[in-house]
Amino acid sequence: MNSWDEFLAPYGQAVSELKLKLNSLKQQLSYGNHHGPIEFVTGRVKSKESILEKMNRRHIAKENLATDMEDIAAVRIMCEFVDDIYEIVGILRKRHDMQIIEERDYISHKKPSGYRSYHMIIKYPVELVSGTKYLKAEIQIRTLAMNFWATIEHSLNYKYKGHFPPEIEERLRKTAEAAFLLDTEMSSIHDDILEAEKLFAQRNHEQTQSERNAENKNEN
């Protein structure tokens, strides 16, 4: 490794390309005012400090970094419903621009902390001046409720350095179950929500069109 910037640059390229492709997928799945399973996509490259901390915690040697650390590049897909997650998983399995190495379903099999999400470890080709470089990257797919809980848990993890007081640990488990109950309840009225969203979008479209017509009339 000549420098961290040089090492991390291809991972930044991978994240940018994956975000672009997944946002394009989001648009394709939303054509015609239909419900799209993707709410939004985010991505990041692990910082040097985070990488070094994880190398130390997981006892990863520098020469094994590219193979043993799977989340240096990571993208996150946010969905409205749990069913949307599995729809996206099915779509990604059919793609030919990435190779899925491993899948971890932390929704059906939650972590002891209460954490829920769907993880895919992929091998992704990045085209460099020197040729094609295959990188490992992680795709996380979760609902907005799951993401809210995970964000709070992640922040508390930094505060307590991974060792939560029993009271905080129990509260986190309870709030994780509350978040999943919200997802379950939203799924139970899935069709009603989609119909309401469709009517809302149609009303906004009609209102926008009416305002444009009024502006055109004033200009004439």
Side-chain angles (χ1 to χ4, degrees):
M1 186 188 304
N2 295 328
S3 72
W4 280 103
D5 288 341
E6 183 179 350
F7 174 74
L8 293 175
Y11 290 95
Q13 183 175 328
V15 169
S16 296
E17 291 180 10
L18 285 167
K19 284 172 61 180
L20 185 65
K21 290 178 177 182
L22 292 170
N23 276 311
S24 175
L25 176 63
K26 174 183 182 295
Q27 289 184 331
Q28 293 175 53
L29 293 170
S30 302
Y31 286 150
N33 289 327
H34 295 300
H35 168 72
I38 298 176
E39 284 293 301
F40 59 91
V41 179
T42 62
R44 62 101 182 103
V45 176
K46 235 179 186 18
S47 67
K48 171 188 170 182
E49 291 72 25
S50 293
I51 292 172
L52 290 172
E53 186 276 329
K54 190 169 184 178
M55 285 173 67
N56 182 58
R57 177 163 41 91
R58 297 283 181 88
H59 306 290
I60 298 173
K62 184 178 290 187
E63 58 269 19
N64 299 327
L65 184 57
T67 55
D68 290 358
M69 195 173 295
E70 300 166 332
D71 64 341
I72 296 175
V75 294
R76 187 174 295 156
I77 302 172
M78 240 64 73
C79 301
E80 202 168 11
F81 302 102
V82 174
D83 287 348
D84 293 338
I85 294 173
Y86 292 104
E87 181 179 349
I88 294 301
V89 168
I91 291 171
L92 293 181
R93 284 173 180 163
K94 297 175 182 177
R95 293 187 71 107
H96 300 292
D97 55 348
M98 62 184 74
Q99 177 190 348
I100 298 172
I101 301 172
E102 187 178 353
E103 297 183 37
R104 300 166 186 163
D105 187 349
Y106 295 123
I107 300 170
S108 299
H109 308 283
K110 65 179 180 180
K111 289 187 175 183
S113 64
Y115 175 86
R116 284 182 170 93
S117 186
Y118 200 102
H119 291 196
M120 295 178 125
I121 307 302
I122 65 169
K123 184 181 289 185
Y124 183 76
V126 175
E127 298 299 329
L128 305 173
V129 174
S130 56
T132 305
K133 185 179 182 69
Y134 290 88
L135 303 175
K136 282 187 176 180
E138 182 179 71
I139 299 176
Q140 297 178 355
I141 315 167
R142 58 177 64 156
T143 64
L144 299 170
M146 291 174 192
N147 188 63
F148 174 73
W149 183 91
T151 301
I152 299 301
E153 193 267 351
H154 184 72
S155 299
L156 287 172
N157 195 48
Y158 269 99
K159 177 181 178 179
Y160 292 107
K161 302 188 187 318
H163 301 287
F164 297 121
E167 180 187 358
I168 297 294
E169 197 169 41
E170 180 60 23
R171 285 185 173 183
L172 279 172
R173 275 196 292 267
K174 287 181 178 179
T175 54
E177 290 309 308
F180 192 63
L181 178 61
L182 174 62
D183 279 333
T184 303
E185 289 298 315
M186 290 298 102
S187 293
S188 70
I189 54 173
H190 180 275
D191 292 339
D192 286 329
I193 293 172
L194 295 186
E195 182 64 24
E197 289 178 346
K198 185 177 180 181
L199 290 171
F200 183 74
Q202 183 178 348
R203 187 179 68 179
N204 278 351
H205 175 74
E206 291 172 353
Q207 183 176 348
T208 301
Q209 192 61 44
S210 176
E211 291 173 354
R212 287 176 180 171
N213 291 338
E215 288 176 1
N216 291 335
K217 186 178 293 185
N218 290 335
E219 289 176 358
N220 295 332

